[in-house]
Amino acid sequence: MPKILVLNGPNLNLLGQREPEVYGRATLADVEALCRDTGARLGVEVECRQSNHEGVLLDALHEAGRAVKTGELLGVVLNPGAYTHTSVALFDAIKGAEVPVIEVHVSNVHAREPFRHHSYVSPAAAGIVVGFGVDGYRLAIEGLVRQRRA
C-alpha cells in the first residue's frame, strides 16, 4: 500500500489549546485521526510525525525523499508551523531530497500578521492549502494522492 508522511512542525502539538480562536479546538490527535481516515478512504497508509526541532524535520524530509525514490512513499503533507517564515533549510531539504510536498496551514496566514505572509517553503512545494482549518490536511492528502497518481 502506498504511504504518505504527514509532518507537523513546532507548536502543532499544542493544537486545541493554543489560540483556539485562530487554530480551532481540534487536537493534534484529532488531526492525525483525520489524516489516517482520509488515507484509508483513498487506499494509502498515513504516518504522522511532529517535532519542535528543525533538524528532526530536515531528517524526516531527507528520509522521505529516499522513500519516494524507492516507491515506498508518495510524498509529504507538511505543516512547517513557524519555520514556514524562517527556514531556508526546509526549502533546501525539500528541493535537495526531491520530495513532493504539499504545504498546509490551519489558519489563513495571509490574513494574519505581515511576517506570516512570506513562506520559504512555498516555492519548493507542489501545492499549498491554507485557511481551511484542520480540514486542510484532508484536502492536502487528497491533492497529493491525485497529483502522484496522475
Side-chain angles (χ1 to χ4, degrees), residues 12-135:
L12 287 152
N13 56 306
L14 299 176
L15 278 175
Q17 70 183 57
R18 177 184 170 221
E19 297 180 84
E21 67 282 0
V22 174
Y23 300 106
R25 299 225 177 263
T27 65
L28 184 58
D30 296 332
V31 168
E32 291 175 351
L34 169 70
C35 291
R36 288 188 188 98
D37 290 347
T38 301
R41 182 174 48 80
L42 298 171
V44 297
E45 180 184 345
V46 173
E47 177 186 345
C48 299
R49 298 187 204 172
Q50 186 275 329
S51 180
N52 293 316
H53 305 281
E54 187 177 29
V56 172
L57 300 172
L58 297 173
D59 289 342
L61 289 167
H62 295 172
E63 178 186 322
R66 289 189 296 273
V68 166
K69 287 175 182 63
T70 64
E72 301 168 57
L73 190 74
L74 294 177
V76 176
V77 169
L78 172 64
N79 185 337
Y83 289 138
T84 303
H85 321 292
T86 64
S87 182
V88 173
L90 284 176
F91 170 88
D92 287 345
I94 294 164
K95 296 295 276 186
E98 299 176 324
V99 60
V101 166
I102 304 296
E103 180 183 357
V104 64
H105 296 282
V106 174
S107 69
N108 179 355
V109 294
H110 302 290
R112 297 186 60 199
E113 304 92 341
F115 72 85
R116 295 187 195 277
H117 298 180
H118 176 75
S119 169
Y120 283 99
V121 173
S122 293
I128 306 162
V129 179
V130 176
F132 288 94
V134 298
D135 198 43

Side-chain angles (χ1 to χ4, degrees), residues 129-148:
V129 179
V130 176
F132 288 94
V134 298
D135 198 43
Y137 287 88
R138 179 187 59 79
L139 297 169
I141 290 167
E142 291 172 348
L144 181 58
V145 168
R146 274 193 219 104
Q147 276 188 352
R148 299 298 291 164

